[in-house]
Amino acid sequence: MSNVTVSIKIDDDLYERAKVRARGQGHTVESILVKLLTDWVGPPPVQPPVPPPEPVPEPEPTYQTYIVKPGDTLSKIAKEFYGDPTKYPIIAEYNGLEDPSRIFIGQVLRIPPLTPPIPEPPSAPVEPPTPVEPPTLEDLNISWIPSPNFNERPDPDNITTIVIHATANSTLVGVVSWFQNPTAYVSAHYVIGKDGKIVQMVKDKDRAWHAGKSEWRGVPNVNDYGLGIELVNLNDGKDPYPEAQYKSLVNLCRALVHKYNISTEDIVGHYHISPGRKTDPRGLDINKLRQDVAAG
Ligand SMILES: [Zn+2]
């Protein structure tokens, strides 16, 4: 509190008598005036009490608590609260339990309410998306021109690898007639022309003669367990693989991968299985082919 000085005019006579009386009581005129003013004004108003802030109502706990007893399991607790022991993962997740089988006696668990199922809107039923099926071999319009150049596989059920070749021959007709020649001693299961036309020449279950001396993942003689696909291409690294041919190749690989459960990582070039001896199919990106087949 700070002080102010107030000037007032009082008759000399009045002042002298007041001074004498004040002094007689051990006061001063000034202190008597202050007391008079104080009594007259009254005590300072009491500050109205600041109302305490409205208490924020505690949100209703959305869960119940449960203290684990001897012999409890989460599924037992789920049955107790939900009537369904298989709903224990709800409690496990709500309590951040990594291993639902590990609860301990005295552990306090929060039991959330079951979320009521969202009622289905009465709109037209949504058609589930039709799964995209890979093309089947039947979808691919494959011509059958048999080659005499094949024998039996050691295990006709063991088909795990797809080998891609380039023929070093410029026409489909030329390749097919060469594979039909019994003195050529070569063949492949499939030949794909530049226009995308696919010709099958050896049945999948049979052993075509395309790989020669070869090995993949440590297993020799890839002809035993591989499927051979010949692409009509000069294999000079410049001759392109036209889009129609590549598309047929991707579709054929997709169908075969699906039918025989072959990993796309086991789609290989001839150069993968006969390194140093073979370079085909030059200019074809096998990694991209694997990705494109897997994307189907
Ligand atoms: Zn080859």
Side-chain angles (χ1 to χ4, degrees), residues 164-166 210 230 270 278 280:
I164 313 295
H165 302 264
H210 53 99
E230 286 275 0
H270 199 175
K278 290 291 179 180
D280 62 313

Coordinates of all heavy atoms in Angstrom, one line a residue, residues 164-166 210 230 270 278 280, ligand 1:
I164 N 14.3 -69.3 -69.9 CA 13.9 -68.5 -71.0 C 15.1 -68.5 -72.0 O 16.3 -68.3 -71.5 CB 13.7 -67.0 -70.6 CG1 12.7 -67.0 -69.4 CG2 13.1 -66.2 -71.8 CD1 11.3 -67.5 -69.7
H165 N 14.9 -68.8 -73.2 CA 15.9 -68.8 -74.3 C 15.6 -67.8 -75.4 O 14.4 -67.4 -75.5 CB 15.9 -70.2 -74.9 CG 16.2 -71.3 -74.0 ND1 17.4 -71.9 -73.8 CD2 15.3 -72.1 -73.3 CE1 17.4 -72.9 -73.0 NE2 16.1 -73.0 -72.6
A166 N 16.6 -67.4 -76.1 CA 16.4 -66.8 -77.4 C 17.0 -67.7 -78.5 O 18.1 -68.3 -78.3 CB 17.1 -65.4 -77.4
H210 N 16.4 -78.5 -74.0 CA 16.8 -77.1 -74.3 C 17.9 -76.5 -73.5 O 18.6 -75.6 -73.9 CB 15.5 -76.2 -74.0 CG 15.0 -76.4 -72.6 ND1 15.2 -75.5 -71.6 CD2 14.1 -77.3 -72.1 CE1 14.6 -76.0 -70.5 NE2 13.9 -77.1 -70.8
E230 N 11.3 -70.8 -75.6 CA 12.1 -70.1 -76.6 C 11.5 -68.9 -77.2 O 10.3 -68.9 -77.6 CB 12.4 -71.1 -77.8 CG 13.3 -72.3 -77.5 CD 14.8 -71.9 -77.7 OE1 15.1 -70.7 -78.1 OE2 15.6 -72.8 -77.5
H270 N 18.8 -68.7 -69.9 CA 19.7 -69.8 -70.1 C 21.1 -69.5 -69.6 O 21.8 -70.4 -69.1 CB 19.8 -70.1 -71.6 CG 20.3 -71.5 -72.0 ND1 20.3 -71.9 -73.3 CD2 20.8 -72.5 -71.2 CE1 20.8 -73.1 -73.3 NE2 21.1 -73.5 -72.1
K278 N 26.4 -70.1 -72.4 CA 25.2 -69.6 -73.1 C 25.1 -68.1 -72.7 O 25.4 -67.7 -71.6 CB 24.0 -70.3 -72.7 CG 24.0 -71.8 -73.2 CD 23.8 -71.7 -74.7 CE 23.8 -73.1 -75.3 NZ 23.6 -73.1 -76.8
D280 N 22.0 -66.5 -74.0 CA 20.6 -66.1 -74.3 C 19.8 -66.1 -73.0 O 20.2 -66.8 -72.0 CB 20.0 -67.0 -75.3 CG 20.0 -68.5 -74.9 OD1 21.0 -69.0 -74.3 OD2 18.9 -69.1 -75.0
Ligands
ZN1 ZN 19.1 -71.3 -74.8

